[in-house]
Amino acid sequence: NENVIKEAVKLAATMNSFCVMERNTGAKEPPWPKEDKAENGQHAWQLWRGGLLPDDKLAWYQEHQDKDYRVNMFLRTSTSKTVAEDFMRAQKNAKCVLYHFYLDPDLRCLHVNCLESVKSVQTEQEFLFPPYSAFRVLKIVEHASFIEIDIKVHPDNRSVDEDVPTAPWADEQGRGLTHGMLAGTRPTAAGRLRNIQVPLEFTRGHQLV
Protein backbone atom coordinates (compact mmCIF):
# COMPACT_ATOMS: atom_id res chain seq x y z
CA ASN A 1 0.00 0.00 0.00
CA GLU A 2 1.66 3.20 -1.20
CA ASN A 3 -0.03 5.38 1.43
CA VAL A 4 1.23 3.14 4.22
CA ILE A 5 4.72 3.26 2.75
CA LYS A 6 4.61 7.08 2.71
CA GLU A 7 3.56 7.19 6.36
CA ALA A 8 6.33 4.76 7.27
CA VAL A 9 8.85 6.97 5.49
CA LYS A 10 7.63 10.02 7.43
CA LEU A 11 8.00 8.10 10.70
CA ALA A 12 11.48 6.90 9.77
CA ALA A 13 12.55 10.43 8.79
CA THR A 14 11.28 11.76 12.12
CA MET A 15 13.16 9.07 14.05
CA ASN A 16 16.30 9.74 12.04
CA SER A 17 16.10 13.46 12.77
CA PHE A 18 15.65 12.69 16.48
CA CYS A 19 18.80 10.56 16.48
CA VAL A 20 21.08 13.02 14.66
CA MET A 21 21.86 15.67 17.23
CA GLU A 22 22.99 18.32 14.72
CA ARG A 23 19.46 18.42 13.29
CA ASN A 24 17.90 18.91 16.71
CA THR A 25 18.22 22.66 17.21
CA GLY A 26 18.15 23.44 20.91
CA ALA A 27 18.00 19.78 21.91
CA LYS A 28 19.46 18.75 25.24
CA GLU A 29 22.45 16.47 25.44
CA PRO A 30 21.48 12.82 25.92
CA PRO A 31 21.95 11.38 29.42
CA TRP A 32 25.33 9.90 28.56
CA PRO A 33 26.54 6.99 30.71
CA LYS A 34 29.33 9.03 32.28
CA GLU A 35 29.95 6.78 35.29
CA ASP A 36 29.65 3.21 36.48
CA LYS A 37 26.39 2.24 38.18
CA ALA A 38 26.49 -1.19 39.76
CA GLU A 39 22.74 -1.29 40.39
CA ASN A 40 21.88 -1.61 36.70
CA GLY A 41 25.13 -2.74 35.13
CA GLN A 42 26.02 0.64 33.64
CA HIS A 43 29.65 1.14 32.64
CA ALA A 44 31.06 4.57 31.84
CA TRP A 45 30.83 5.48 28.14
CA GLN A 46 29.63 2.06 27.08
CA LEU A 47 26.43 0.77 25.48
CA TRP A 48 25.12 -2.77 25.21
CA ARG A 49 22.89 -4.92 23.05
CA GLY A 50 21.86 -8.56 23.43
CA GLY A 51 20.53 -10.91 20.79
CA LEU A 52 21.27 -13.98 18.71
CA LEU A 53 23.93 -14.62 16.08
CA PRO A 54 24.06 -17.55 13.62
CA ASP A 55 27.46 -19.14 13.02
CA ASP A 56 27.81 -17.79 9.48
CA LYS A 57 27.17 -14.25 10.69
CA LEU A 58 29.74 -14.70 13.47
CA ALA A 59 32.23 -15.61 10.75
CA TRP A 60 31.49 -12.27 9.06
CA TYR A 61 32.42 -10.34 12.21
CA GLN A 62 35.57 -12.43 12.60
CA GLU A 63 36.57 -11.63 9.02
CA HIS A 64 35.96 -7.91 9.63
CA GLN A 65 37.83 -7.52 12.90
CA ASP A 66 39.67 -4.16 13.06
CA LYS A 67 37.56 -2.94 10.13
CA ASP A 68 34.80 -0.35 9.81
CA TYR A 69 31.25 -1.28 8.84
CA ARG A 70 27.72 0.14 8.81
CA VAL A 71 24.37 -1.21 10.02
CA ASN A 72 21.38 -0.77 7.68
CA MET A 73 18.71 -0.51 10.36
CA PHE A 74 17.73 1.50 13.42
CA LEU A 75 20.02 0.01 16.06
CA ARG A 76 18.75 -0.19 19.63
CA THR A 77 21.23 -0.28 22.52
CA SER A 78 21.08 0.24 26.28
CA THR A 79 23.35 1.79 28.88
CA SER A 80 22.46 -1.19 31.06
CA LYS A 81 24.45 -4.37 30.60
CA THR A 82 21.82 -6.12 32.71
CA VAL A 83 19.04 -5.21 30.25
CA ALA A 84 21.13 -6.40 27.29
CA GLU A 85 21.92 -9.68 29.04
CA ASP A 86 18.22 -10.23 29.69
CA PHE A 87 17.49 -9.80 25.96
CA MET A 88 20.37 -12.12 25.13
CA ARG A 89 19.20 -14.88 27.49
CA ALA A 90 15.67 -14.66 26.08
CA GLN A 91 16.90 -16.16 22.79
CA LYS A 92 15.87 -19.80 22.39
CA ASN A 93 17.74 -22.48 20.49
CA ALA A 94 20.26 -20.01 19.11
CA LYS A 95 23.78 -18.81 19.80
CA CYS A 96 23.59 -15.72 22.01
CA VAL A 97 25.60 -12.56 21.45
CA LEU A 98 26.39 -9.56 23.63
CA TYR A 99 27.40 -6.50 21.63
CA HIS A 100 29.60 -4.16 23.68
CA PHE A 101 29.80 -0.62 22.24
CA TYR A 102 32.49 1.88 23.25
CA LEU A 103 31.76 5.62 23.03
CA ASP A 104 34.50 8.25 22.88
CA PRO A 105 34.27 10.18 26.19
CA ASP A 106 35.51 13.37 24.57
CA LEU A 107 33.99 13.33 21.07
CA ARG A 108 30.91 11.31 22.11
CA CYS A 109 28.60 10.68 19.15
CA LEU A 110 26.64 13.02 16.87
CA HIS A 111 24.18 10.41 15.62
CA VAL A 112 22.66 8.72 18.65
CA ASN A 113 19.97 9.81 21.09
CA CYS A 114 18.24 8.44 24.17
CA LEU A 115 14.62 7.33 23.77
CA GLU A 116 13.63 7.36 27.44
CA SER A 117 11.91 10.75 27.25
CA VAL A 118 9.60 9.58 24.46
CA LYS A 119 8.93 6.00 25.58
CA SER A 120 5.99 4.81 27.64
CA VAL A 121 8.20 2.27 29.45
CA GLN A 122 11.27 4.05 30.78
CA THR A 123 13.35 1.23 32.22
CA GLU A 124 15.85 0.28 29.53
CA GLN A 125 17.73 3.59 29.13
CA GLU A 126 17.66 2.96 25.41
CA PHE A 127 19.97 4.73 22.96
CA LEU A 128 19.02 4.60 19.27
CA PHE A 129 21.36 4.81 16.26
CA PRO A 130 19.90 5.67 12.82
CA PRO A 131 20.34 3.44 9.76
CA TYR A 132 23.85 3.34 8.29
CA SER A 133 25.59 4.33 11.49
CA ALA A 134 29.30 3.51 11.38
CA PHE A 135 31.16 1.19 13.76
CA ARG A 136 34.40 -0.79 13.97
CA VAL A 137 34.83 -4.39 15.16
CA LEU A 138 37.46 -4.33 17.91
CA LYS A 139 37.48 -7.80 19.44
CA ILE A 140 35.47 -11.02 19.53
CA VAL A 141 35.45 -13.27 22.59
CA GLU A 142 33.79 -16.69 22.56
CA HIS A 143 32.57 -17.46 26.08
CA ALA A 144 31.12 -20.84 27.06
CA SER A 145 27.49 -19.82 26.54
CA PHE A 146 27.63 -16.66 24.41
CA ILE A 147 29.70 -14.52 22.07
CA GLU A 148 30.86 -11.04 23.06
CA ILE A 149 31.73 -8.53 20.35
CA ASP A 150 33.53 -5.32 21.29
CA ILE A 151 32.66 -2.46 18.95
CA LYS A 152 33.88 1.11 18.56
CA VAL A 153 31.22 3.77 17.94
CA HIS A 154 32.46 6.32 15.43
CA PRO A 155 31.71 9.83 16.78
CA ASP A 156 30.71 11.14 13.34
CA ASN A 157 29.33 9.06 10.45
CA ARG A 158 30.87 11.50 7.97
CA SER A 159 34.37 10.47 9.03
CA VAL A 160 33.85 6.95 7.63
CA ASP A 161 33.83 6.08 3.93
CA GLU A 162 30.36 5.37 2.53
CA ASP A 163 31.62 2.22 0.81
CA VAL A 164 32.55 0.25 3.93
CA PRO A 165 30.75 -3.12 4.26
CA THR A 166 27.25 -3.41 5.68
CA ALA A 167 26.66 -5.88 8.52
CA PRO A 168 24.66 -8.87 7.19
CA TRP A 169 22.60 -9.64 10.26
CA ALA A 170 19.64 -7.87 11.90
CA ASP A 171 18.25 -9.89 14.79
CA GLU A 172 14.69 -9.77 16.09
CA GLN A 173 15.47 -7.04 18.64
CA GLY A 174 16.24 -4.74 15.71
CA ARG A 175 13.10 -5.67 13.83
CA GLY A 176 10.91 -5.01 16.86
CA LEU A 177 11.45 -1.25 16.75
CA THR A 178 8.28 0.33 15.31
CA HIS A 179 7.47 -3.14 13.96
CA GLY A 180 9.96 -2.75 11.16
CA MET A 181 13.25 -1.50 9.87
CA LEU A 182 14.78 0.30 6.93
CA ALA A 183 17.18 -1.62 4.76
CA GLY A 184 18.73 -1.12 1.36
CA THR A 185 21.81 -0.05 -0.48
CA ARG A 186 24.36 2.34 0.96
CA PRO A 187 23.25 6.00 1.26
CA THR A 188 24.15 8.34 -1.56
CA ALA A 189 25.49 11.85 -1.18
CA ALA A 190 21.91 13.07 -1.43
CA GLY A 191 21.11 11.06 1.69
CA ARG A 192 18.69 8.63 0.03
CA LEU A 193 18.00 5.06 1.09
CA ARG A 194 16.66 2.77 -1.61
CA ASN A 195 14.79 -0.54 -1.40
CA ILE A 196 12.85 0.11 1.80
CA GLN A 197 11.95 -3.13 3.50
CA VAL A 198 9.68 -3.21 6.52
CA PRO A 199 8.76 -6.78 7.55
CA LEU A 200 5.21 -8.00 7.01
CA GLU A 201 3.54 -4.85 5.69
CA PHE A 202 5.88 -3.59 3.00
CA THR A 203 7.66 -4.83 -0.09
CA ARG A 204 11.03 -4.00 -1.60
CA GLY A 205 11.56 -1.57 -4.43
CA HIS A 206 10.33 1.72 -2.94
CA GLN A 207 12.50 4.79 -2.57
CA LEU A 208 12.97 7.52 0.01
CA VAL A 209 12.97 10.95 -1.60
Side-chain angles (χ1 to χ4, degrees):
N1 185 301
E2 195 70 25
N3 290 331
V4 178
I5 288 289
K6 289 179 179 179
E7 293 304 315
V9 170
K10 291 178 183 179
L11 174 60
T14 300
M15 292 168 61
N16 194 72
S17 179
F18 177 80
C19 293
V20 182
M21 296 302 296
E22 286 183 321
R23 300 179 188 171
N24 260 326
T25 305
K28 295 181 180 179
E29 281 259 312
W32 300 110
K34 297 180 180 180
E35 57 187 14
D36 295 347
K37 291 184 179 180
E39 63 269 21
N40 71 345
Q42 176 174 299
H43 297 259
W45 300 107
Q46 296 170 44
L47 299 171
W48 307 84
R49 175 182 173 84
L52 56 88
L53 190 68
D55 288 337
D56 60 326
K57 303 306 185 291
L58 170 60
W60 186 90
Y61 282 98
Q62 291 169 330
E63 292 167 3
H64 289 80
Q65 190 163 334
D66 298 319
K67 296 179 181 178
D68 294 331
Y69 71 99
R70 293 183 185 272
V71 175
N72 65 349
M73 56 179 271
F74 285 103
L75 187 71
R76 303 161 63 187
T77 65
S78 175
T79 61
S80 171
K81 182 180 180 181
T82 303
V83 167
E85 288 175 332
D86 288 343
F87 273 107
M88 179 183 71
R89 296 189 182 107
Q91 308 307 312
K92 304 296 183 183
N93 302 318
K95 181 169 290 186
C96 297
V97 61
L98 183 66
Y99 299 98
H100 185 182
F101 297 88
Y102 290 86
L103 295 160
D104 188 306
D106 298 316
L107 299 178
R108 305 185 182 184
C109 183
L110 296 176
H111 51 273
V112 70
N113 209 339
C114 182
L115 294 182
E116 295 305 288
S117 63
V118 296
K119 289 176 58 178
S120 57
V121 180
Q122 300 180 352
T123 59
E124 298 177 355
Q125 204 60 24
E126 185 173 318
F127 275 67
L128 182 69
F129 291 91
Y132 291 97
S133 291
F135 305 94
R136 173 171 289 188
V137 181
L138 297 177
K139 184 174 65 174
I140 300 170
V141 180
E142 298 192 44
H143 300 284
S145 59
F146 69 97
I147 306 296
E148 184 170 355
I149 303 178
D150 289 355
I151 298 169
K152 172 186 174 180
V153 177
H154 282 289
D156 189 342
N157 273 333
R158 295 168 297 187
S159 67
V160 178
D161 195 284
E162 288 185 355
D163 291 329
V164 297
T166 302
W169 177 244
D171 60 40
E172 292 305 313
Q173 276 68 51
R175 293 176 183 271
L177 181 63
T178 68
H179 194 55
M181 70 176 185
L182 291 178
T185 60
R186 297 182 183 90
T188 66
R192 298 185 177 188
L193 301 178
R194 290 180 173 82
N195 297 329
I196 296 174
Q197 176 192 357
V198 182
L200 301 184
E201 282 85 359
F202 309 132
T203 58
R204 296 181 63 85
H206 294 82
Q207 178 173 309
L208 272 175
V209 294

